[in-house]
Amino acid sequence: MKRILIFSGTTEGRQLADILDASGICADVCVATGYGHEVMTEGQYRNIYTGRLTEEEMKEFMQKGDYAAIVDATHPYAVVVSSNIRQASAQAGLPYYRLRRTLQSAGDDSDVIYVKSQQECVRALEQTSGNILLTTGSKELHCYCENETLRERLFVRVLPGTESIEICHKNGILGRQIIAMQGPFSEEMNLALLHQYQIRYMVTKESGASGGFSEKISAAKKAGVSVFVIENPEAENGEQKENLEEILQEIERLTGKHIRRKQMQVSLVGIGMGNTKLITEEAAERIKGADLLFGAKRLLDAVPAQWNVAAERLPYYLAKDILPCLDDAGEKSGKAIFHAVILFSGDTGFYSGAEKMMQALQGRENTEVSVCPGISSVSYLAARSGNSWQDAKIVSLHGTDQMERLIKKAGMREKVFVITSGVSDVREIGKRLIECGLKETTVTVGYALSYPAEQIKTLSPEECMQLTDEGLYTCLIQNQRISGEKKNSDPKFLTHGLPDDAFCRDKVPMTKEEVREAAICKMHLTPDAVVYDIGSGTGSIAVEMARLSDNLTVYAIERKQEAVALIEKNCTKYGLANVKVICGEAPGALTGLPVPTHAFIGGSNGSLKEILTDLYRKNPRMRVVVTAITLETVGAVSSILNEFPVEQEEIIQMSVSRAKKAGRYHLMQAENPVFILSFYFAGGTES
């Protein structure tokens, strides 16, 4: 497919190149300077060539390439360059299109003086006094520097490229007179510069919207500054003129490809914790190229103003506030491609609002969404404290009550990273760790990470309770007991199956190992189940279930005080914060407990019907498993179940025999047979 050759160096040229690239149309872009190359990013379908060309060199370039057309998108004041491009195109026999800039009126204000040329402007300024802000670039700077008195009054705003700075120095402009910045600039930025340098006169070209012309004029009016406007030298009559839409139509005709017109490019950008040193280069590039910046005020403040003085900054971070602004900006903008950046703290994929924002932006017409990741506070704290985090659990306390889940994980995991909402969360963590018998844990507390006030301390739970400084905290809880067990204990198995002698039992009855494992299998547990273990005994069933998932919660209900003490002892032995021991007799002891998803009934003390009635009232769709050792109990359960709607009902009998050594022989010794009854309640949803 034939290519399009664009001579650029302007905002309009960059916009055209971006549109063609997004539409899959190949283009070669010629820019005069290295800075022009720097701001014209590489694309999938375009190549960029840097350097000034003579008319003859332009013709040779055109003849070597397989081009469908030439587009002249150079600056409106680059009259000689445009003439050379036009002549070279004619000699190469290629269609030539001039992409013109739409001009803006400065009004009829008496403080706006139009002049035909730079020389006329110099003569007019020589009749004035006071500081001058020159915004016409570096190319014609020499015109203003020949008069030493005039040169000393100048403050020149030029592009921040090496070539521009060298021209300033060559013409005797001192460092204090140079303002090297990339425009266009907002009215506020222009106004600040006019005040900062006590400007009396501003010189500008008739540069149009993309050159920030109206913002210069409005700022000058507010500051009481007179403006000299150098008129656009391009002839108004007798010369071919095209706007962007007309040129796009011609390129469609020549290439046979449909071109996507206005586009909204939205970048979801993670900026880490706030220190600009931790913002990735990719994120910085997106921010610097944005037309509109969104984010919480704290995040907007973290982005240096000089990174992008032209972009409007809006302190919004919710989709309901951002989407209307995007629609409005897209309509008002004269740009073919509009860039918006939405800032997020930390990393976009880590407890971030970026996911919801992505969902809200999906399906929007002519909108492209990309994600730029950042550095999370967890990875930062891990690095600063010398820890890894690939083997840790991570909990966020933002917005929801996750404290219970956090304490469960802290009791069962060697490392848990915590994203907190402030110092009150850290104090509560210390308090809850102590209450759950986890005094041996240490808490590495990261305060104001990446900021000058950063502090990283390793504290005990008691010391956490004494913290007072408000601010942002990320913590690492390390359970030294779990760490020691990993070094000195057997490997963790993928299934439940602790031997009977792994439990403290004294004289309290305990469900035997094989029956225990079969009964737990019949429970059909889910990772976040809420389980009642009624008649818990030694807590062996509760302990084995709780060890399966730290998101699972078991309520061990037991009426005998000595058994309650054993359950607590066994839970402490295995560091289980997700077992809650309830001393009392069911069903009364069930009052006030969270709604269960599962129940295991190992003992009912004659209150089985009442217990089942209460369970059915709490959750008419729950899973229940009952164990029994007598036929009478099995008969009673079967009779009671006739009064409830149940499904997937199953009754099995287990007989287990164990080998006992008798001298050189092994004799099988039978355990008492046990019945396991399992079912789901099949009722409807409670009203």
Side-chain angles (χ1 to χ4, degrees), residues 550-624:
D550 49 11
N551 291 330
L552 183 149
T553 304
V554 182
Y555 290 86
I557 296 98
E558 175 56 53
R559 65 189 181 91
K560 296 180 179 178
Q561 189 61 52
E562 63 271 26
V564 167
L566 279 175
I567 298 170
E568 292 175 341
K569 193 172 181 180
N570 283 317
C571 289
T572 300
K573 179 179 179 180
Y574 290 100
L576 297 172
N578 57 337
V579 177
K580 310 299 178 185
V581 184
I582 309 296
C583 184
E585 187 167 357
L590 309 182
T591 302
L593 297 184
V595 175
T597 59
H598 300 72
F600 174 79
I601 305 175
S604 61
N605 197 34
S607 302
L608 183 59
K609 182 177 180 179
E610 291 79 4
I611 292 171
L612 291 173
T613 300
D614 192 67
L615 293 177
Y616 182 77
R617 180 184 58 79
K618 284 177 175 288
N619 182 0
R621 300 291 301 175
M622 70 184 297
R623 177 73 171 175
V624 180

Side-chain angles (χ1 to χ4, degrees), residues 534-556:
I534 300 172
S536 189
T538 60
S540 61
I541 291 278
V543 166
E544 292 232 47
M545 289 191 295
R547 280 166 54 88
L548 295 176
S549 169
D550 49 11
N551 291 330
L552 183 149
T553 304
V554 182
Y555 290 86

Side-chain angles (χ1 to χ4, degrees), residues 20-132:
L20 296 186
D21 194 71
S23 301
I25 295 176
C26 299
D28 290 336
V29 185
C30 291
V31 295
T33 66
Y35 186 78
H37 191 152
E38 182 181 332
V39 297
M40 173 70 74
T41 55
E42 298 285 349
Q44 184 177 356
Y45 297 97
R46 67 169 171 250
N47 300 315
I48 303 173
Y49 299 90
T50 305
R52 302 184 190 279
L53 301 175
T54 65
E55 180 183 326
E56 185 62 29
E57 288 170 333
M58 290 178 183
K59 184 183 74 171
E60 292 178 5
F61 195 99
M62 295 174 189
Q63 291 173 334
K64 288 179 181 178
D66 187 17
Y67 297 115
I70 310 300
V71 179
D72 177 6
T74 58
H75 199 279
Y77 290 78
V79 178
V80 174
V81 175
S82 283
S83 176
N84 289 342
I85 297 170
R86 186 165 51 250
Q87 295 299 327
S89 300
Q91 294 173 40
L94 293 170
Y96 167 86
Y97 301 101
R98 173 63 173 142
L99 177 54
R100 299 295 184 92
R101 179 172 291 182
T102 302
L103 300 182
Q104 295 174 305
S105 172
D108 299 325
D109 197 300
S110 60
D111 280 338
V112 178
I113 304 108
Y114 282 87
V115 293
K116 296 292 184 183
S117 65
Q118 304 278 1
Q119 290 74 15
E120 184 180 337
C121 185
V122 169
R123 289 193 294 270
L125 287 170
E126 286 176 340
Q127 308 305 313
T128 66
S129 61
N131 291 344
I132 303 165

